[in-house]
Each structure stands twice: as structure tokens, then as C-alpha cells.
Amino acid sequence: MADSKHEVERKYEATPETRLPDLTRAAGVSSVVHRGLMELDAVYYDTEDLRLAAHSLTLRRRTGGEDAGWHLKIPVSADVREEIRAPLSDALPAEIGKLLRSRVRAAPVLPVVRILSARDVHHLLDDDGALLAEVSIDEVLAERLTERGRGTTSAWTEMEVELADDQDPALLDAVERRLRKAGVRPSAAPSKLSRALSETSPEKGPSRKKEGKPAPRTAGEHVLAYAARQVAAIVELDPAVRRELPDSVHRMRVATRRLRSALRTYRKILDRTVTDPLRDELKWLAAELGIDRDREVLEARLDSRVAGLPVPLVLGPVRARLELAFTARHAGSRRHVDSVLDSDRYLALLDSLDALLADPPLLPAAVREPGEALPRAVLKDYDRLAARVGYARELGPGPERDVAMHEARKAAKRVRYAAEAARPALGKPAKKFSKRMKSVQSVLGDHQDSVVARDALRTLAVQAHEAGESAFTWGLLYGQEETAAAARERELPGVWDRASRPGLRAALKG
């Protein structure tokens, strides 16, 4: 089984003559203990076109040291990477292979670089002898293993400072100050692999710094930039969803919905004959992810409701029945999400999204100024929302109004996402407009959550009754949800009036 840890470290340039300065002068460090030398042998894997490296991921099979095995490192922030480990084996472990699928798709991963490291290790300890950090000086030899450049080597010396588990990252700053005073400077390469790939590249000549993409100027460029951010989010969240990390399903589903919404809103900019099939597939993916996300939301809501009741009002095995219901739902929904992410249909969707960004089906309106084309599209969605809110407000309480408010909620979400996409081009007016649409969406969303919760509570009450248990608590909770829904219905007119002020729409138009 794979396990994981957060790796917090910094790398520094060194030479064979580099020696550690007195690090006991760094705040918190009481002693430095030499732990000796070790030999590490790591083979790094990637696709032939280095897709993992392009996403700053590293995959290696390492022998030697205390953590021999397969390691997948996923960037979290500047100094932090999530390191996922699996036991040493000849073949890539399946659990790690799945975490790569959104990046590599059907492409095989192959050995690309072998790195041998002679590591001289020192431990930084506090007054109680507890480990604060590990400092190592590595003599590195890298060899290219790909067809092009095979056998090319590079050698260098570097220093690493890795924080021990649960230690304050401020220690890294204290150590770095001592290293800088001794003339040791941070490494320009973020990892051994990136340096090895650069220095053993078959392309000759000095390496050129990659230039960032120019800032979007036209309406089409702004829409594509927004779409690219959502595609990147879907791909990057895939491993987190597979590992059941908190909020990952929700964030992936939101990225899917944002992208689908943008393709619909801006269909005067991107040809819908190309984007409509993609929207259908994104709708499918959001719905499949929604099975697990809807369970999460409902479980949290009902848990909170029960926790808020006075103990005398909780009659019967309420907690046990809730746990039983959601444990079964969780197991089923997780299996379903895993099967979706492993499906050929999902991978085909990712390939199609890449193709959309690589060769976008731009229409003539795409070359217009964003201040002209984007507000028009946002306000068209706003008009649809206004009609749905108006219709819902005309209805009396009941199922028909519940459905109408749910339809208005979906429209509010679409307007909000449309304004978000336009925000880099339109600035503060789009930000304010999006914020007001979010307030409408929140009221309508909480109302819909109450509708779903009441349906679940009725089912739980029936099950409790059939089992000979008291249904009193379930009825009480049902009444609370009815009250919450009524409050949202009373709140909606005021929220909508603030969100629909003519000045907001005029500011959006510029």
C-alpha cells in the first residue's frame, strides 16, 4: 500500500569542498550530529515527451537509504511537495500508476534518467535531542536513459535541508541565514531531475529561460485563458480525488461546471458545433462526481442538525442510523468515482479538452475588445436568471416553487461563472457583479439543500418506523428544514433586489 507525507525542503548549490557552517547558531538548533554516508540509486520515469516533468511531478524508483521504494512527488507550494511512497518492486505499483493517469493518459512511463547520489547526512537536533531537520551534501552523477541523448552524463554537488515531520517551517529560514552568511546560495534547479534533464538534454547550446504566455488582449484570449485554468484544475485534482483528500471532489466538480458554463456563455466566441459535445461530456463528468459530493453535503448537513439538538430530543438510535446510511452511500459513491476516473470516456474527455486549447474554434467575435464582447454575454445570462427568479417568486410554496428555485440557482451559478471569466478583463465591475450573483446563488443553494435534506429525512423516518424505532427526531429535523427553506424564500427578494440594481449592470458594460 502507498503512504504519503509532506516533504518540506530547500536546495542549495555546493561544491566538493563545501562544508557545513556552524548551524547551532541557527535559532532552535542545539546540536548537529553527523549520521554518516549513504549511497542512493534512483531511476526516474516519465513519458517520452516528459509530461510529468512539464507538470513538475517526479516519479522514481530508488534503492539505498531508509526509504527505498517508489516515490511520486506532487508540488504543493514553493518548498513543499507531497511525497507518495510504495514498497520497492520491479513494476510500477498500480496505486501510483492511477495517480498519473490524468497526466500521462495512455502513454507508457519509461526510464528517462538515472541519478546516483553519495549523500553525507547531518541531523539538526533541539535541546531534547528531537530531530528538527536533516541536512545532506550530495555528490550527484546523472545519466540520460532516453533514446535521444542516451549515455549523456552530468555531475554536480548540492545541499538539501529537509524539515522533520511537524516542525516549524521558520527553521528553514533560520538555517538559510546561516548558510548564506557562509556563502551558500539557493539552487536554481527545483529538483535533481529538472537539473539532470536540462544538463543531459540532447539539444546543444545554452538553455533558454521559458517565457510566459503574453497577457490576454482579445475577448477570445480571455475566454481561452479561463478555460485553460479550469482544464488544469481538473487534471491536477484527479490524484487528490482518487486519494479522497478533503474537498477534492467538490473542487474538481466546480472546475468542470465552470468550464461547461463558460463554453455555453461564450458560444459567440467559441464555435458551439465543437464545444457543445464537450459540454455534454462535462455535464456527464459533473453528474458522476456529484454522486459523491451530494453525499458529502447531505451528511454534513444532517450531522450538524443532530448535533444541534438537545439530548432529550434525540430519541432512538439516530446517530447509528445516520452512520449506517452514509457509510453505505460512501462506499458505493467512492467505487463509482474511481470507476469514472479509470474509464476510457473520462480520458477521452481530457484529450478533447487539450485539443480544444491547442486548436481553439474561434469565431469572428473572438478578436473583439473584451469590453465589448464579454459584458454582452454575461448580461444575456443575467436576463435568463432574472426571468427564472421572477417566475419562482410568483409561485406559492410547494414542490413547483422548489423546482423553480432550483432552476434559478443553476442560472445564478452560470452568471457568476461568466462574470468570473470576464473579471481579468473587466476588473472591479465584474468582481462586484460576480459577488452579488454568488449571494443569490447561496440563498437558492441553501434552499435546494433543504429540499434534498427533507427527502432524505423522510426516508430515514420511514426506515426508523419500520424498524420499530421512534421517528420523533426525524420529524423534528424535517420541521427544522421546512423552517430553513421558508427563511430562504423570505430572504430571496432582498438579496435579488441588491443583486439586480441597474448600476451594477451599467458598470459591467463600462
Side-chain angles (χ1 to χ4, degrees):
M1 271 307 280
D3 58 11
S4 66
K5 61 166 287 186
H6 271 74
E7 179 186 74
V8 186
E9 70 174 17
R10 294 180 185 176
K11 292 182 178 292
Y12 300 88
E13 300 288 350
T15 70
E17 290 73 37
T18 298
R19 298 293 180 267
L20 284 184
D22 182 6
L23 295 181
T24 60
R25 300 184 66 184
V29 179
S30 177
S31 61
V32 180
V33 178
H34 186 217
R35 301 295 295 177
L37 299 172
M38 64 177 65
E39 300 289 334
L40 305 175
D41 186 347
V43 175
Y44 288 77
Y45 289 74
D46 206 332
T47 60
E48 186 176 0
D49 55 359
L50 303 179
R51 297 180 195 177
L52 298 182
H55 288 91
S56 300
L57 272 67
T58 59
L59 171 66
R60 72 186 179 199
R61 179 185 183 276
R62 189 165 79 179
T63 57
E66 299 177 352
D67 61 347
W70 287 89
H71 305 154
L72 172 62
K73 297 188 180 186
I74 302 174
V76 176
S77 61
D79 296 329
V80 183
R81 291 188 291 179
E82 183 81 3
E83 183 175 275
I84 302 163
R85 301 174 176 177
L88 192 64
S89 60
D90 291 336
L92 175 67
E95 59 264 42
I96 289 185
K98 285 189 174 185
L99 302 181
L100 305 174
R101 292 199 74 192
S102 66
R103 267 86 170 194
V104 306
R105 315 290 165 79
V109 291
L110 310 166
V112 295
V113 168
R114 183 183 184 188
I115 296 180
L116 304 176
S117 301
R119 172 164 291 182
D120 190 10
V121 180
H122 297 76
H123 282 181
L124 308 186
L125 309 178
D126 65 10
D127 290 335
D128 298 324
L131 179 63
L132 298 173
E134 180 176 284
V135 182
S136 62
I137 300 177
D138 293 353
E139 297 285 345
V140 182
L141 175 63
E143 179 186 5
R144 192 82 168 207
L145 301 178
T146 54
E147 286 299 323
R148 297 182 66 241
R150 183 185 296 278
T152 306
T153 62
S154 179
W156 67 90
T157 305
E158 68 178 35
M159 182 185 298
E160 292 183 3
V161 182
E162 181 175 350
L163 200 66
D165 293 344
D166 302 320
Q167 294 299 325
D168 187 350
L171 176 69
L172 293 179
D173 295 329
V175 171
E176 182 164 308
R177 284 193 289 270
R178 303 308 309 170
L179 293 176
R180 283 181 175 272
K181 284 186 177 182
V184 178
R185 295 291 178 261
S187 173
S191 67
K192 285 184 174 67
L193 176 62
S194 63
R195 182 165 182 171
L197 290 173
S198 174
E199 296 187 2
T200 64
S201 172
E203 280 73 29
K204 303 299 182 182
S207 60
R208 296 182 179 178
K209 185 178 180 180
K210 290 184 178 179
E211 297 182 0
K213 291 184 178 180
R217 293 174 299 173
T218 65
E221 287 172 350
H222 277 282
V223 172
L224 288 173
Y226 182 79
R229 290 195 294 273
Q230 308 318 314
V231 173
I234 293 170
V235 171
E236 291 168 5
L237 285 165
D238 178 294
V241 171
R242 293 177 186 272
R243 296 170 60 210
E244 299 186 53
L245 297 187
D247 208 35
S248 58
V249 171
H250 172 60
R251 291 165 60 204
M252 188 175 187
R253 190 186 187 196
V254 167
T256 302
R257 284 177 159 177
R258 280 179 169 143
L259 179 54
R260 179 170 176 260
S261 179
L263 296 181
R264 174 170 180 162
T265 297
Y266 296 109
R267 52 192 175 187
K268 297 292 186 180
I269 292 174
L270 294 173
D271 188 348
R272 65 179 299 178
T273 62
V274 176
T275 61
D276 277 359
L278 289 178
R279 288 184 57 250
D280 290 341
E281 291 302 281
L282 289 166
K283 181 179 181 180
W284 162 77
L285 179 58
E288 301 295 345
L289 294 172
I291 295 173
D292 195 54
R293 174 57 184 170
D294 293 344
R295 174 199 58 78
E296 289 179 346
V297 171
L298 180 60
E299 182 176 7
R301 189 178 184 96
L302 296 188
D303 277 342
S304 177
R305 289 288 190 206
V306 173
L309 290 176
V311 173
L313 298 183
V314 181
L315 304 183
V318 172
R319 283 284 185 189
R321 182 161 292 284
L322 268 182
E323 184 176 350
L324 178 65
F326 285 109
T327 297
R329 285 193 184 198
H330 175 67
S333 62
R334 284 309 314 176
R335 286 194 299 270
H336 184 75
V337 168
D338 288 343
S339 68
V340 168
L341 299 187
D342 286 337
S343 68
D344 291 339
R345 183 176 182 178
Y346 168 68
L347 296 182
L349 171 59
L350 296 184
D351 286 340
S352 297
L353 294 176
D354 284 349
L356 173 76
L357 297 176
D359 186 19
L362 296 174
L363 295 174
V367 300
R368 293 177 182 168
E369 291 291 328
E372 175 189 355
L374 301 187
R376 185 179 302 170
V378 175
L379 292 175
K380 185 175 181 180
D381 278 351
Y382 168 83
D383 290 341
R384 181 184 297 106
L385 168 61
R388 291 187 180 183
V389 170
Y391 175 67
R393 291 174 62 180
E394 290 173 358
L395 298 173
E400 188 177 357
R401 186 176 193 179
D402 291 343
V403 172
M405 291 184 72
H406 182 44
E407 291 302 311
R409 175 200 186 188
K410 291 189 287 186
K413 192 176 297 185
R414 186 177 306 134
V415 181
R416 173 191 164 196
Y417 293 158
E420 284 180 354
R423 180 178 167 183
L426 305 182
K428 289 184 179 180
K431 178 181 179 181
K432 189 173 184 179
F433 194 84
S434 176
K435 185 177 180 180
R436 291 294 171 85
M437 293 304 110
K438 184 178 180 180
S439 67
V440 175
Q441 177 193 331
S442 295
V443 170
L444 294 169
D446 193 64
H447 182 275
Q448 175 62 16
D449 288 345
S450 77
V451 173
V452 174
R454 276 179 278 158
D455 185 60
L457 287 167
R458 184 181 183 282
T459 300
L460 289 165
V462 170
Q463 292 172 348
H465 176 74
E466 291 176 348
E469 302 163 7
S470 171
F472 170 82
T473 301
W474 304 114
L476 181 62
L477 295 175
Y478 189 98
Q480 288 185 348
E481 290 294 351
E482 280 189 321
T483 300
R488 299 291 82 76
E489 291 173 6
R490 291 192 301 271
E491 186 180 355
L492 177 61
V495 172
W496 175 247
D497 288 345
R498 289 190 295 274
S500 59
R501 288 173 182 167
L504 278 176
R505 301 195 297 279
L508 192 67
K509 292 179 181 179

